[in-house]
Protein backbone atom coordinates (compact mmCIF):
# COMPACT_ATOMS: atom_id res chain seq x y z
CA UNK A 1 0.00 0.00 0.00
CA UNK A 2 1.29 3.45 -0.87
CA UNK A 3 2.44 5.46 2.08
CA UNK A 4 0.54 8.68 2.58
CA UNK A 5 2.76 11.71 2.96
CA UNK A 6 1.40 14.06 5.61
CA UNK A 7 0.52 17.56 4.46
CA UNK A 8 2.68 20.43 5.64
CA UNK A 9 1.12 22.10 8.66
CA UNK A 10 0.31 25.33 6.81
CA UNK A 11 -1.57 23.53 4.03
CA UNK A 12 -3.58 21.70 6.65
CA UNK A 13 -4.43 25.07 8.13
CA UNK A 14 -5.81 26.37 4.82
CA UNK A 15 -7.81 23.21 4.21
CA UNK A 16 -9.22 23.38 7.76
CA UNK A 17 -10.06 27.00 7.18
CA UNK A 18 -12.08 26.19 4.05
CA UNK A 19 -13.74 23.31 5.89
CA UNK A 20 -14.69 25.66 8.73
CA UNK A 21 -16.27 28.07 6.23
CA UNK A 22 -18.36 25.22 4.81
CA UNK A 23 -19.44 24.10 8.28
CA UNK A 24 -20.51 27.67 9.16
CA UNK A 25 -22.41 27.96 5.86
CA UNK A 26 -24.20 24.61 6.30
CA UNK A 27 -25.11 25.36 9.95
CA UNK A 28 -26.46 28.83 8.97
CA UNK A 29 -28.58 27.29 6.20
CA UNK A 30 -29.90 24.65 8.62
CA UNK A 31 -30.76 27.27 11.25
CA UNK A 32 -32.52 29.45 8.64
CA UNK A 33 -34.45 26.49 7.20
CA UNK A 34 -35.38 25.33 10.72
CA UNK A 35 -36.57 28.78 11.72
CA UNK A 36 -38.65 29.18 8.54
CA UNK A 37 -40.10 25.67 8.91
CA UNK A 38 -41.03 26.21 12.56
CA UNK A 39 -42.76 29.55 11.95
CA UNK A 40 -44.46 28.02 8.93
CA UNK A 41 -46.03 25.41 11.17
CA UNK A 42 -47.14 28.07 13.64
CA UNK A 43 -48.62 30.06 10.75
CA UNK A 44 -50.50 26.98 9.54
CA UNK A 45 -52.00 26.36 12.96
CA UNK A 46 -52.95 29.98 13.40
CA UNK A 47 -54.49 30.04 9.92
CA UNK A 48 -56.64 27.05 10.76
CA UNK A 49 -57.75 28.67 13.96
CA UNK A 50 -58.59 31.94 12.23
CA UNK A 51 -60.58 30.06 9.59
CA UNK A 52 -62.56 28.31 12.30
CA UNK A 53 -63.16 31.64 13.95
CA UNK A 54 -64.45 33.16 10.71
CA UNK A 55 -66.70 30.16 10.12
CA UNK A 56 -68.07 30.44 13.64
CA UNK A 57 -68.54 34.12 12.98
CA UNK A 58 -70.48 33.34 9.80
CA UNK A 59 -72.69 30.86 11.64
CA UNK A 60 -73.28 33.45 14.35
CA UNK A 61 -74.30 36.02 11.75
CA UNK A 62 -76.65 33.54 10.13
CA UNK A 63 -78.22 32.79 13.49
CA UNK A 64 -78.42 36.40 14.64
CA UNK A 65 -80.08 37.51 11.41
CA UNK A 66 -82.82 34.91 11.28
CA UNK A 67 -83.61 34.45 14.98
CA UNK A 68 -86.03 36.67 16.73
CA UNK A 69 -84.31 38.93 19.10
CA UNK A 70 -83.81 37.14 22.40
CA UNK A 71 -81.10 36.55 25.02
CA UNK A 72 -79.45 33.89 22.88
CA UNK A 73 -79.08 36.33 20.05
CA UNK A 74 -77.70 38.89 22.43
CA UNK A 75 -75.15 36.34 23.65
CA UNK A 76 -74.11 35.49 20.10
CA UNK A 77 -73.79 39.12 19.13
CA UNK A 78 -71.88 40.09 22.24
CA UNK A 79 -69.61 37.08 22.59
CA UNK A 80 -68.87 36.11 19.02
CA UNK A 81 -69.58 38.92 16.62
CA UNK A 82 -68.34 41.82 18.71
CA UNK A 83 -65.41 39.93 20.21
CA UNK A 84 -63.60 39.55 16.90
CA UNK A 85 -60.95 42.20 17.34
CA UNK A 86 -58.34 40.88 14.99
CA UNK A 87 -59.60 39.27 11.77
CA UNK A 88 -60.56 41.81 9.11
CA UNK A 89 -63.96 40.93 7.55
CA UNK A 90 -66.41 42.51 5.13
CA UNK A 91 -69.99 41.29 4.81
CA UNK A 92 -71.66 41.87 1.46
CA UNK A 93 -75.34 41.27 0.84
CA UNK A 94 -77.26 39.92 -2.16
CA UNK A 95 -77.30 43.21 -3.97
CA UNK A 96 -73.56 43.73 -3.56
CA UNK A 97 -74.03 46.34 -0.86
CA UNK A 98 -71.50 46.31 1.98
CA UNK A 99 -73.53 45.48 5.05
CA UNK A 100 -70.87 45.38 7.65
CA UNK A 101 -67.07 45.68 8.13
CA UNK A 102 -64.86 44.81 11.04
CA UNK A 103 -61.17 45.41 11.73
CA UNK A 104 -60.77 47.04 8.33
CA UNK A 105 -59.00 50.39 8.54
CA UNK A 106 -61.14 52.98 6.81
CA UNK A 107 -60.43 56.65 6.93
CA UNK A 108 -63.84 57.99 7.95
CA UNK A 109 -62.85 61.55 7.01
CA UNK A 110 -62.81 60.60 3.33
CA UNK A 111 -65.83 60.89 1.06
CA UNK A 112 -68.31 58.04 0.89
CA UNK A 113 -67.26 57.31 -2.69
CA UNK A 114 -63.62 57.03 -1.71
CA UNK A 115 -64.43 54.74 1.20
CA UNK A 116 -66.48 52.52 -1.12
CA UNK A 117 -63.52 52.37 -3.55
CA UNK A 118 -61.18 51.44 -0.75
CA UNK A 119 -63.49 48.71 0.50
CA UNK A 120 -63.93 47.33 -3.03
CA UNK A 121 -60.16 47.10 -3.34
CA UNK A 122 -60.01 45.41 0.04
CA UNK A 123 -62.63 42.85 -1.09
CA UNK A 124 -60.56 42.23 -4.23
CA UNK A 125 -57.42 41.54 -2.20
CA UNK A 126 -59.35 39.38 0.29
CA UNK A 127 -60.69 37.24 -2.57
CA UNK A 128 -57.11 36.64 -3.69
CA UNK A 129 -56.25 35.03 -0.34
CA UNK A 130 -59.46 33.25 0.69
CA UNK A 131 -62.74 32.35 -0.96
CA UNK A 132 -65.61 34.21 0.77
CA UNK A 133 -67.90 32.20 3.05
CA UNK A 134 -71.50 32.15 1.80
CA UNK A 135 -74.10 32.74 4.49
CA UNK A 136 -77.56 31.43 3.61
CA UNK A 137 -80.41 33.24 5.22
CA UNK A 138 -83.31 30.89 5.95
CA UNK A 139 -86.71 31.72 7.23
CA UNK A 140 -87.61 29.30 10.06
CA UNK A 141 -91.22 30.28 9.77
CA UNK A 142 -91.54 29.08 6.16
CA UNK A 143 -89.83 25.68 6.17
CA UNK A 144 -86.36 27.16 6.45
CA UNK A 145 -86.68 28.49 2.96
CA UNK A 146 -83.67 30.49 1.73
CA UNK A 147 -84.67 34.09 1.38
CA UNK A 148 -81.25 35.54 0.72
CA UNK A 149 -77.49 35.02 0.79
CA UNK A 150 -74.59 37.05 2.04
CA UNK A 151 -70.89 36.71 1.41
CA UNK A 152 -68.33 37.07 4.17
CA UNK A 153 -64.93 38.17 2.92
CA UNK A 154 -61.95 37.90 5.25
CA UNK A 155 -58.17 37.87 5.36
CA UNK A 156 -55.33 37.08 7.77
CA UNK A 157 -55.19 39.06 10.96
CA UNK A 158 -52.33 41.55 11.34
CA UNK A 159 -50.74 39.19 13.85
CA UNK A 160 -50.74 36.33 11.37
CA UNK A 161 -49.34 38.51 8.57
CA UNK A 162 -46.55 39.65 10.86
CA UNK A 163 -45.80 36.09 11.85
CA UNK A 164 -45.47 35.09 8.18
CA UNK A 165 -42.95 37.88 7.57
CA UNK A 166 -41.18 37.39 10.89
CA UNK A 167 -38.52 34.74 10.00
CA UNK A 168 -37.53 36.62 6.84
CA UNK A 169 -37.13 39.91 8.69
CA UNK A 170 -35.27 38.17 11.50
CA UNK A 171 -32.92 36.34 9.12
CA UNK A 172 -32.27 39.47 7.06
CA UNK A 173 -31.36 41.44 10.17
CA UNK A 174 -29.10 38.59 11.32
CA UNK A 175 -27.48 38.35 7.87
CA UNK A 176 -26.78 42.10 7.80
CA UNK A 177 -25.42 41.95 11.33
CA UNK A 178 -23.25 38.92 10.44
CA UNK A 179 -21.90 40.66 7.35
CA UNK A 180 -21.01 43.85 9.24
CA UNK A 181 -19.33 41.83 12.01
CA UNK A 182 -17.37 39.90 9.40
CA UNK A 183 -16.16 43.15 7.79
CA UNK A 184 -15.21 44.61 11.16
CA UNK A 185 -13.42 41.42 12.15
CA UNK A 186 -11.58 41.28 8.84
CA UNK A 187 -10.59 44.90 9.11
CA UNK A 188 -9.13 44.49 12.58
CA UNK A 189 -7.34 41.31 11.52
CA UNK A 190 -5.76 43.09 8.54
CA UNK A 191 -4.74 46.00 10.77
CA UNK A 192 -3.15 43.55 13.18
CA UNK A 193 -1.32 41.72 10.38
CA UNK A 194 -0.01 45.04 9.05
CA UNK A 195 1.36 45.88 12.44
CA UNK A 196 3.15 42.54 12.67
CA UNK A 197 4.66 42.89 9.19
CA UNK A 198 5.85 46.42 9.72
CA UNK A 199 7.04 45.84 13.29
CA UNK A 200 8.98 42.71 12.46
CA UNK A 201 10.58 44.27 9.40
CA UNK A 202 11.65 47.40 11.30
CA UNK A 203 13.04 45.34 14.15
CA UNK A 204 15.03 43.12 11.74
CA UNK A 205 16.51 46.14 9.94
CA UNK A 206 17.32 47.72 13.27
CA UNK A 207 19.08 44.61 14.64
CA UNK A 208 21.06 44.04 11.44
CA UNK A 209 22.18 47.68 11.33
CA UNK A 210 24.77 47.66 14.11
CA UNK A 211 26.84 44.57 13.17
CA UNK A 212 26.59 45.63 9.55
CA UNK A 213 28.20 49.02 10.06
CA UNK A 214 31.03 47.44 11.99
CA UNK A 215 31.44 44.75 9.29
CA UNK A 216 31.76 47.50 6.68
CA UNK A 217 34.43 49.19 8.76
CA UNK A 218 36.26 45.88 9.17
CA UNK A 219 36.30 45.31 5.42
CA UNK A 220 37.94 48.71 4.98
CA UNK A 221 40.52 47.83 7.66
CA UNK A 222 41.30 44.55 5.85
CA UNK A 223 41.63 46.35 2.52
CA UNK A 224 44.24 48.69 4.00
CA UNK A 225 46.12 45.82 5.67
CA UNK A 226 49.30 45.17 3.65
CA UNK A 227 49.81 41.79 5.33
CA UNK A 228 46.85 40.38 3.43
CA UNK A 229 48.13 39.35 0.05
CA UNK A 230 44.94 37.81 -1.40
CA UNK A 231 42.74 40.88 -1.94
CA UNK A 232 40.22 38.65 -3.78
CA UNK A 233 38.98 37.43 -0.41
CA UNK A 234 38.38 41.00 0.72
CA UNK A 235 36.43 41.67 -2.51
CA UNK A 236 34.21 38.64 -1.88
CA UNK A 237 33.67 39.72 1.70
CA UNK A 238 32.78 43.18 0.47
CA UNK A 239 30.19 41.71 -1.94
CA UNK A 240 28.52 39.78 0.86
CA UNK A 241 28.48 42.81 3.10
CA UNK A 242 26.90 44.81 0.28
CA UNK A 243 24.23 42.12 -0.12
CA UNK A 244 23.58 42.28 3.61
CA UNK A 245 23.16 46.02 3.22
CA UNK A 246 20.61 45.47 0.47
CA UNK A 247 18.73 43.03 2.70
CA UNK A 248 18.73 45.52 5.57
CA UNK A 249 17.53 48.26 3.26
CA UNK A 250 14.67 46.00 2.07
CA UNK A 251 13.54 45.33 5.61
CA UNK A 252 13.83 48.95 6.56
CA UNK A 253 11.84 50.04 3.45
CA UNK A 254 9.02 47.62 4.12
CA UNK A 255 8.82 48.97 7.65
CA UNK A 256 8.35 52.55 6.43
CA UNK A 257 6.56 54.24 3.54
CA UNK A 258 8.89 53.78 0.58
CA UNK A 259 9.25 56.59 -1.95
CA UNK A 260 8.62 55.55 -5.58
CA UNK A 261 10.91 56.79 -8.34
CA UNK A 262 11.04 56.41 -12.11
CA UNK A 263 13.38 53.49 -12.63
CA UNK A 264 14.58 51.48 -15.61
CA UNK A 265 12.82 48.13 -15.15
CA UNK A 266 15.06 46.27 -17.57
CA UNK A 267 18.07 47.36 -15.57
CA UNK A 268 16.57 46.31 -12.23
CA UNK A 269 15.55 42.89 -13.57
CA UNK A 270 19.06 42.39 -14.91
CA UNK A 271 20.53 43.28 -11.52
CA UNK A 272 18.53 40.44 -9.96
CA UNK A 273 19.39 37.98 -12.74
CA UNK A 274 23.05 38.96 -12.45
CA UNK A 275 22.93 38.25 -8.74
CA UNK A 276 21.04 34.95 -8.96
CA UNK A 277 22.62 33.32 -12.02
CA UNK A 278 25.96 32.39 -10.44
CA UNK A 279 24.16 31.10 -7.35
CA UNK A 280 21.93 28.51 -9.01
CA UNK A 281 22.57 25.37 -11.05
CA UNK A 282 24.33 26.11 -14.34
CA UNK A 283 21.59 24.14 -16.11
CA UNK A 284 19.12 26.87 -15.30
CA UNK A 285 18.91 29.49 -18.04
CA UNK A 286 17.78 33.04 -17.46
CA UNK A 287 16.39 34.94 -20.45
CA UNK A 288 15.28 38.56 -20.31
CA UNK A 289 13.21 39.95 -23.21
CA UNK A 290 12.01 43.44 -23.91
CA UNK A 291 11.19 45.56 -26.93
CA UNK A 292 12.65 48.59 -25.25
CA UNK A 293 15.55 48.52 -22.86
CA UNK A 294 14.56 51.92 -21.54
CA UNK A 295 11.08 51.06 -20.20
CA UNK A 296 10.57 52.89 -16.96
CA UNK A 297 8.12 52.32 -14.12
CA UNK A 298 7.43 53.99 -10.81
CA UNK A 299 9.03 51.69 -8.27
CA UNK A 300 11.06 51.49 -5.14
CA UNK A 301 14.14 49.73 -6.52
CA UNK A 302 15.20 47.59 -3.50
CA UNK A 303 11.66 46.35 -2.89
CA UNK A 304 10.95 45.69 -6.56
CA UNK A 305 14.18 43.71 -6.85
CA UNK A 306 13.16 41.73 -3.81
CA UNK A 307 9.88 40.74 -5.52
CA UNK A 308 11.62 39.68 -8.73
CA UNK A 309 14.16 37.73 -6.67
CA UNK A 310 11.39 35.91 -4.79
CA UNK A 311 9.58 34.99 -8.00
CA UNK A 312 12.81 33.75 -9.60
CA UNK A 313 13.72 31.71 -6.52
CA UNK A 314 10.29 30.05 -6.58
CA UNK A 315 10.77 29.36 -10.29
CA UNK A 316 14.13 27.73 -9.56
CA UNK A 317 12.55 25.61 -6.81
CA UNK A 318 9.75 24.54 -9.15
CA UNK A 319 12.17 23.38 -11.83
CA UNK A 320 14.58 21.30 -9.82
CA UNK A 321 17.98 21.06 -11.45
CA UNK A 322 17.37 22.37 -14.96
CA UNK A 323 15.06 24.59 -16.96
CA UNK A 324 14.51 28.08 -18.28
CA UNK A 325 13.30 31.22 -16.57
CA UNK A 326 12.04 33.72 -19.13
CA UNK A 327 11.35 37.27 -18.03
CA UNK A 328 9.42 39.50 -20.43
CA UNK A 329 9.05 43.22 -19.88
CA UNK A 330 6.15 44.67 -21.85
CA UNK A 331 4.43 47.99 -22.21
CA UNK A 332 0.65 47.69 -21.75
CA UNK A 333 -2.14 50.12 -22.52
CA UNK A 334 -3.13 52.82 -19.99
CA UNK A 335 0.42 53.57 -18.85
CA UNK A 336 1.02 50.06 -17.59
CA UNK A 337 4.17 47.97 -17.51
CA UNK A 338 3.94 44.19 -17.33
CA UNK A 339 6.70 41.93 -16.08
CA UNK A 340 5.96 38.28 -16.89
CA UNK A 341 8.14 35.69 -15.17
CA UNK A 342 7.76 32.21 -16.66
CA UNK A 343 9.38 28.95 -15.71
CA UNK A 344 9.38 25.44 -17.10
CA UNK A 345 8.73 23.88 -13.71
CA UNK A 346 6.14 21.61 -12.17
CA UNK A 347 3.28 24.10 -12.29
CA UNK A 348 0.68 24.92 -9.64
CA UNK A 349 -2.42 22.66 -9.38
CA UNK A 350 -5.60 24.70 -10.09
CA UNK A 351 -7.18 24.45 -6.60
CA UNK A 352 -3.91 25.64 -5.08
CA UNK A 353 -3.60 28.83 -7.14
CA UNK A 354 -5.90 30.82 -4.84
CA UNK A 355 -3.73 29.99 -1.82
CA UNK A 356 -0.21 30.72 -3.03
CA UNK A 357 -0.28 34.38 -1.96
CA UNK A 358 -1.53 33.63 1.54
CA UNK A 359 1.08 34.01 4.26
CA UNK A 360 2.26 30.67 5.60
CA UNK A 361 1.16 28.69 2.56
CA UNK A 362 3.97 26.46 1.35
CA UNK A 363 4.47 23.03 -0.14
CA UNK A 364 8.18 23.04 0.58
CA UNK A 365 9.92 21.23 3.40
CA UNK A 366 12.01 24.25 4.23
CA UNK A 367 9.68 26.97 3.04
CA UNK A 368 8.11 29.68 5.18
CA UNK A 369 5.39 30.47 2.70
CA UNK A 370 6.23 34.15 2.94
CA UNK A 371 7.86 34.87 -0.43
CA UNK A 372 4.67 35.47 -2.41
CA UNK A 373 2.78 37.05 0.50
CA UNK A 374 5.58 39.59 0.75
CA UNK A 375 5.66 40.08 -3.03
CA UNK A 376 1.89 40.76 -3.06
CA UNK A 377 2.20 43.20 -0.21
CA UNK A 378 5.07 45.07 -1.88
CA UNK A 379 3.36 45.28 -5.28
CA UNK A 380 -0.19 45.99 -4.12
CA UNK A 381 0.33 48.12 -1.04
CA UNK A 382 3.48 50.04 -1.88
CA UNK A 383 3.23 50.21 -5.68
CA UNK A 384 -0.54 50.07 -6.15
CA UNK A 385 0.09 47.45 -8.81
CA UNK A 386 -1.05 43.89 -9.27
CA UNK A 387 0.57 40.50 -9.06
CA UNK A 388 -1.11 37.26 -10.00
CA UNK A 389 -0.67 33.81 -11.55
CA UNK A 390 -1.20 34.52 -15.25
CA UNK A 391 -1.14 30.88 -16.24
CA UNK A 392 0.04 27.57 -14.91
CA UNK A 393 -0.03 24.06 -16.24
CA UNK A 394 1.07 21.02 -14.33
CA UNK A 395 4.49 19.76 -15.41
CA UNK A 396 4.67 22.48 -18.08
CA UNK A 397 5.37 25.63 -16.12
CA UNK A 398 3.98 28.77 -14.53
CA UNK A 399 3.84 32.45 -15.42
CA UNK A 400 3.47 35.14 -12.79
CA UNK A 401 2.60 38.67 -13.92
CA UNK A 402 3.45 41.92 -12.18
CA UNK A 403 1.54 45.01 -13.31
CA UNK A 404 3.01 48.42 -12.54
CA UNK A 405 2.32 52.00 -13.55
CA UNK A 406 4.78 53.26 -16.11
CA UNK A 407 6.74 56.44 -15.50
N1 LIG B 1 6.76 29.17 -9.96
C1 LIG B 1 6.10 28.29 -9.20
N2 LIG B 1 5.84 27.04 -9.65
C2 LIG B 1 5.15 26.16 -8.88
N3 LIG B 1 4.72 26.40 -7.63
C3 LIG B 1 4.96 27.62 -7.12
C4 LIG B 1 5.65 28.62 -7.87
N4 LIG B 1 5.72 29.75 -7.10
C5 LIG B 1 5.11 29.44 -5.95
N5 LIG B 1 4.65 28.18 -5.95
C6 LIG B 1 3.91 27.51 -4.85
O1 LIG B 1 3.47 28.52 -3.95
C7 LIG B 1 3.92 28.23 -2.63
C8 LIG B 1 4.14 29.54 -1.89
O2 LIG B 1 5.25 30.24 -2.39
P1 LIG B 1 6.01 31.26 -1.46
O3 LIG B 1 7.14 31.86 -2.21
O4 LIG B 1 5.02 32.18 -0.86
O5 LIG B 1 6.54 30.35 -0.28
P2 LIG B 1 7.71 29.29 -0.32
O6 LIG B 1 8.56 29.49 -1.56
O7 LIG B 1 7.12 27.94 -0.12
O8 LIG B 1 8.53 29.67 0.97
P3 LIG B 1 9.48 30.97 1.14
O9 LIG B 1 9.41 31.76 -0.13
O10 LIG B 1 8.91 31.71 2.30
O11 LIG B 1 10.82 30.45 1.41
C9 LIG B 1 5.15 27.38 -2.83
O12 LIG B 1 5.39 26.55 -1.71
C10 LIG B 1 4.79 26.57 -4.08
O13 LIG B 1 4.01 25.44 -3.75
MG1 LIG C 1 9.32 31.38 -2.15
Amino acid sequence: MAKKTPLPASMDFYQDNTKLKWVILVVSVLISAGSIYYTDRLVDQLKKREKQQVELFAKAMEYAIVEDFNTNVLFVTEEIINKNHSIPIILVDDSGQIAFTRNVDVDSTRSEKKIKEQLDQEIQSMTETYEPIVIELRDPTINNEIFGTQRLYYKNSALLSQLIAFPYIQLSVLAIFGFISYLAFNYSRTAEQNQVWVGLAKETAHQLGTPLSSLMAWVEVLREDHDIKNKGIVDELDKDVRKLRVVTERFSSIGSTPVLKDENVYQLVNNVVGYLQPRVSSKINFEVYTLSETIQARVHAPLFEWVVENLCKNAVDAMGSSGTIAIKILRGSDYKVFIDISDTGKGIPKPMVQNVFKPGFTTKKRGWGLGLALAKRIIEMYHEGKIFVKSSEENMGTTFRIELMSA
Side-chain angles (χ1 to χ4, degrees), residues 310-311 313-314 317 362 364 367-372:
N310 273 333
L311 293 182
K313 278 185 181 164
N314 281 348
D317 291 342
T362 183
K364 298 172 195 169
W368 290 107
L370 285 182
L372 287 179

Side-chain angles (χ1 to χ4, degrees), residues 127-346:
T127 327
E128 277 160 20
T129 9
Y130 298 112
E131 279 292 303
I133 294 176
V134 179
I135 301 175
E136 290 174 341
L137 307 175
R138 293 164 193 276
D139 190 344
T141 53
I142 337 170
N143 263 346
N144 272 346
E145 199 176 282
I146 299 174
F147 66 87
T149 54
Q150 289 184 331
R151 270 159 298 134
L152 184 65
Y153 295 90
Y154 68 106
K155 65 176 187 184
N156 296 334
S157 65
L159 178 73
L160 185 55
S161 304
Q162 279 169 17
L163 192 64
I164 292 171
F166 173 71
Y168 299 99
I169 295 172
Q170 186 195 35
L171 291 175
S172 313
V173 170
L174 277 181
I176 293 169
F177 176 72
F179 182 65
I180 293 174
S181 318
Y182 173 77
L183 287 187
F185 176 71
N186 237 7
Y187 176 77
S188 69
R189 205 180 53 173
T190 315
E192 199 177 286
Q193 278 175 359
N194 280 347
Q195 249 177 359
V196 174
W197 274 106
V198 169
L200 210 61
K202 268 190 182 157
E203 179 63 17
T204 311
H206 178 71
Q207 294 214 6
L208 280 174
T210 331
L212 189 62
S213 353
S214 75
L215 265 178
M216 276 156 66
W218 280 119
V219 170
E220 285 316 305
V221 171
L222 290 179
R223 209 185 282 286
E224 302 298 313
D225 192 335
H226 299 294
D227 288 347
I228 296 176
K229 301 278 174 288
N230 192 350
K231 290 291 180 214
I233 296 181
V234 181
D235 286 342
E236 283 308 309
L237 206 59
D238 192 33
K239 268 192 208 157
D240 283 334
V241 171
R242 272 176 214 277
K243 177 67 186 178
L244 264 179
R245 240 175 72 183
V246 171
V247 171
T248 314
E249 200 180 331
R250 287 173 177 175
F251 277 106
S252 123
S253 320
I254 204 155
S256 56
T257 317
V259 182
L260 306 186
K261 286 199 203 118
D262 296 343
E263 302 271 5
N264 180 326
V265 183
Y266 180 69
Q267 188 60 52
L268 295 180
V269 168
N270 272 313
N271 288 348
V272 177
V273 172
Y275 170 75
L276 282 179
Q277 195 143 38
R279 288 170 172 78
V280 299
S281 152
S282 59
K283 288 191 199 134
I284 288 180
N285 277 331
F286 282 87
E287 293 166 3
V288 184
Y289 302 103
T290 184
L291 287 176
S292 148
E293 295 182 3
T294 54
I295 290 187
Q296 289 199 324
R298 290 197 65 74
V299 294
H300 182 269
L303 290 182
F304 174 71
E305 285 179 357
W306 197 359
V307 171
V308 177
E309 196 179 302
N310 273 333
L311 293 182
C312 289
K313 278 185 181 164
N314 281 348
V316 171
D317 291 342
M319 292 192 297
S321 55
S322 66
T324 301
I325 298 176
I327 307 177
K328 291 191 190 115
I329 302 161
L330 316 154
R331 212 189 284 277
S333 55
D334 299 337
Y335 304 102
K336 279 192 182 130
V337 175
F338 302 137
I339 299 108
D340 287 355
I341 301 180
S342 312
D343 61 57
T344 52
K346 61 178 167 34

